[in-house]
Amino acid sequence: MEDYKKQFIEFMVDSQVLKFGEFTLKSGRKSPFFMNAGGYVTGMQLARLGEYYAKAIHDNYGLDFDVLFGPAYKGIPLSVAATMEISRLYGKEVRYCSNRKEEKDHGDKGILLGSGLKDGDRVIIIEDVTTSGKSIEETVPILKAQADVEIAGLIVSLNRMEKGPAGKSALMEIKENYGFDAKAIVTMAEVVEHLYNKPYHGTIYIDDARKEEIDAYYRQYGA
């Protein structure tokens, strides 16, 4: 596993974005782990988050794209932070773009924040986590309504590796339904590999009992 992936897993734990316990998800599933990207709130956290996204985008998609699109609302700071880090790390200038939930009819009019979109733009969508693919179902029409763009891929921070509505992983369903790749900085399997029975700052976050809970969860809901 690449060093930046190990660092990102530890960063999620340090930021209390990735937690272990018993959580009820929106879907009603009882999960032994939970990720909430709303926990990234400081300048340093956002800079580091942007760096990890930038490295994952570079590893998975290269730099042949024009726009990083972050769907409102959580995708807005992600697109800004990652765009800045792509410039810093790789010297590549890409534009950031997000949407508003309600179209603005005065001043900076329209539904988009940041850059506009033009025909031929290659766009990568950036999100925190995708479990059902519903957000992509909403995002793709927004992009296509603005210009004749090519969606080059989706990047999320954590692949939960769960079944979506069709019984496959949400990221696989996105590829099948929309024709573009969906990648993650890390998968939940990589999280388990890195933390299982290994103390981090004096705490073992995934011991044998927690590992069995995670395994049981994936026996029921794993893709």
Side-chain angles (χ1 to χ4, degrees), residues 71-193:
Y73 288 103
K74 285 185 178 178
I76 296 173
L78 298 180
S79 64
V80 173
T83 299
M84 293 172 69
E85 288 301 304
I86 288 168
S87 175
R88 184 183 71 83
L89 290 171
Y90 305 111
K92 167 78 173 181
E93 292 295 352
V94 298
R95 291 135 48 210
Y96 95 89
C97 180
S98 297
N99 64 298
R100 296 182 171 97
K101 290 289 191 180
E102 299 83 23
E103 189 164 351
K104 191 176 177 186
D105 60 5
H106 61 281
D108 182 17
K109 295 182 181 181
I111 199 167
L112 298 182
L113 296 167
S115 171
L117 296 172
K118 58 182 187 289
D119 291 351
D121 276 341
R122 283 173 56 81
V123 179
I124 289 177
I125 302 169
I126 183 169
E127 291 203 291
D128 58 345
V129 65
T130 296
T131 50
S132 68
K134 181 168 174 50
S135 61
I136 295 300
E137 186 180 324
E138 297 169 350
T139 299
V140 169
I142 291 170
L143 292 171
K144 295 293 189 181
Q146 301 302 312
D148 182 16
V149 301
E150 177 189 349
I151 301 175
L154 165 71
I155 188 79
V156 300
S157 60
L158 176 67
N159 179 359
R160 287 183 59 102
M161 303 171 59
E162 294 177 36
K163 288 186 284 195
K168 301 173 184 175
S169 81
L171 299 189
M172 187 181 295
E173 286 180 22
I174 287 167
K175 169 119 177 147
E176 291 183 356
N177 292 337
Y178 300 102
F180 55 82
D181 280 337
K183 303 292 187 180
I185 302 176
V186 294
T187 66
M188 199 58 206
E190 289 170 324
V191 170
V192 173
E193 176 190 336

